[in-house]
Amino acid sequence: MKRSDIVNDPSIGNKAEAFEAFDDIPTNPNLTRTIGDVISARYGRRDMLRGMLGVSATTALFGTSALIAPKQAQAAAHADSRYVFDEVTAGNDETHHVADGYDAQILLRWGDPITADAPEFDVMNQTAAAQLKQFGYNNDYVGFVPLNDDGTRGLLCVNHEYTNEEVMFPGLGRQDRDGFAGMTAELIDIEMAAHGGTVVEIAQGEDGTWTVVRDGKMNRRITPLDTEMTLSGPAAGHKRLMTNDDPTGTKVIGTINNCAGGMTPWGTWLMAEENFHGYFWTDNVDADGKAVIDSGNPEATSYGRYGVPGAWYAWGKTHDRWNIDREPNMPNKFGWVVEVDPMDPTSTPVKHTALGRFRHEGAETTVASDGKLVIYMGDDNRFDYQYKYVSNGTVSDDRAANTKLLEEGTLYVARFDEDGTVTWLPLVHGEGPLTAENGFNDQGDVMIDTRIAADLLGATPMDRPEDAQPRGDGTAYIMLTNNSRREDANAANPRPENNFGHIIEIKEDGGNHSATRGTWSILVKCGDPAIADVGAQWNPETSENGWFGSPDNCAIDADGRLWISTDQGSNWGKTGKSDGLYALETEGEARGTSKLFFRCPVGGEMCGPYFTDNGETLFLAVQHPGTDGTKDLAGFERASTFEDPATRWPDFDPAMPPRPSVVVVTKKGGGKIAV
């Protein structure tokens, strides 16, 4: 499909929706044995076709009682449920909803001052200088570092993924249909200042309410406009990372499209760079607006595999470093995982190249039973891969030594097999096809072109691997959000147009996350179980409110319980539900039963979630409220703009557009959540 066809499609309401639709087109040439093929081969076409659960599949997923005694299973599920709360009613409207008995407080909004000298937010007179001291846009990942023993003071670490200019700036409107003609140098700098991340101190009062500590000594913004970073690991100093502003190949300004992330066991914050390709620009385009790349360009193959340049932002019009015509190596400095020390506001963030370069959704960590650091990471693109990183050394009490664990280790990519095993394939130069004959002259090349290396190893193409959450017992949960590019229904692929996604559970051998083999199974196949053609699979006791589509982020609380947040994008009309946070049973007779705990306002995506160690506070992030799929909102049925949004959440002030915000959830009267 042509770029212009997507941009001008009247059903697409904004630039972000167009960007996602264009990224639905896979860049992976290796589509002969996808996860859909593997699932079909393992469970059998007749068992999985059109949602008609066969005996073997039902038993494997939910146990024998779901087959022979559903009423008994229901009683057991209710009796044994580990999530104690009354379920929210699913739907979609202009505000948020939380389970009865809980408070959902707006803690931070786009533009809120986060330093003592920051100006108050003035949406009609925005400046880059002000934004650098204010909370950024589109909050995604949320982490928390306690500063006292009882966890009532701490540092909130928040990613700011991207910006929506049509609801962010007055009088501007959608820009991708007009060649970004309205994007001035000042507006571009404001956008850049609104990306990146925020570290801000927060405190909980005796009444349980959390507030921002504006004069916190560790408060800071991290942005692609002005934050210098270093690169570590095998690609640091590589010739393919050398640029005009940094001939050493060891430094870079900023980080972009920071989606999910993680916290290390020693309290540093990992920011994952996801859709970095969309920020790079070229002046060389054809009549359709598609980039024209010289076949003699040494980065041409890499550009193609990563989708560079995406040209979804106009930054390259005013900043040479975002224009590949002037800085052809600059894209190689993005697509990494960034480590930030929130405890030291003067510290320089580090991009760790040993963790590979791809569209990182997240970077969730755990300490394996042998003491090694393990990080699970998904490459969020249709038909791309699931990875994990295992350190050479072990985690200790020495913070400086621990940081080295992110520089020295092995990156693996997953191959899922029909017999229910998963094998982690090492991405190591000189092993197998990863040689100079195939374009890999050293380990730096392997890391810069991680995707191409994984192609050669025969990794399993996945249905948009998003967050991946490890649990301490050697279990990991893989969120596969959807894959609308599955077009053909056949014996090898019985679920075409997988619009709703699924969740895979991995059990590593010996309960050790550093193992190179394990087993896999399907926890749930998402979508409406009442519609046979969807092919959804849930525990039969999941209610009409409890099923969901497009799992995205996830968290495991202190009691080992799994929580799922969703990102349906503009496709929420296919479920009739806004995005939300769901509690999903993973054990016993209730396995595969889901309950809705919190739901977003229209157009918003549910991000986070993050629990404090005591389980009494839950941080959630609602990004891009009032934007996605607003044409499907009954009574509104049009695209949102600054002047005419589908909701003005969370302020509901007629002079204020919708504002991405962090929400903090606590139980009325105190106590652990869902207990």
Side-chain angles (χ1 to χ4, degrees), residues 443-455:
Q443 186 65 14
D445 278 333
V446 174
M447 295 296 95
I448 292 169
D449 283 327
T450 303
R451 280 185 166 183
I452 298 173
D455 294 343

Side-chain angles (χ1 to χ4, degrees), residues 315-355:
W315 299 1
K317 295 174 69 173
T318 59
H319 294 269
D320 284 353
R321 58 193 171 103
W322 303 109
N323 191 321
I324 65 168
D325 306 334
R326 299 174 179 85
E327 286 285 11
N329 284 347
M330 190 63 76
N332 295 337
K333 290 188 171 183
F334 294 87
W336 307 103
V337 172
V338 185
E339 185 185 21
V340 179
D341 185 353
M343 300 290 289
D344 181 2
T346 67
S347 63
T348 300
V350 180
K351 296 192 179 188
H352 290 291
T353 68
L355 276 61

Side-chain angles (χ1 to χ4, degrees), residues 558-574:
D559 295 313
R561 302 175 301 176
L562 181 63
W563 298 77
I564 309 293
S565 65
T566 64
D567 175 17
Q568 301 168 96
S570 61
N571 292 320
W572 67 263
K574 294 178 180 179

Side-chain angles (χ1 to χ4, degrees), residues 60-112:
L61 286 165
F62 309 121
T64 55
S65 61
L67 258 175
I68 63 175
K71 293 300 182 183
Q72 294 176 7
Q74 180 179 19
H78 289 311
D80 299 337
S81 175
R82 298 184 299 159
Y83 302 91
V84 182
F85 64 88
D86 293 329
E87 191 169 26
V88 172
T89 300
N92 209 341
D93 58 29
E94 66 179 4
T95 193
H96 68 270
H97 301 263
V98 69
D100 287 346
Y102 291 86
D103 289 315
Q105 170 201 349
I106 306 300
L107 178 63
L108 277 162
R109 303 161 298 177
W110 162 52
D112 281 351

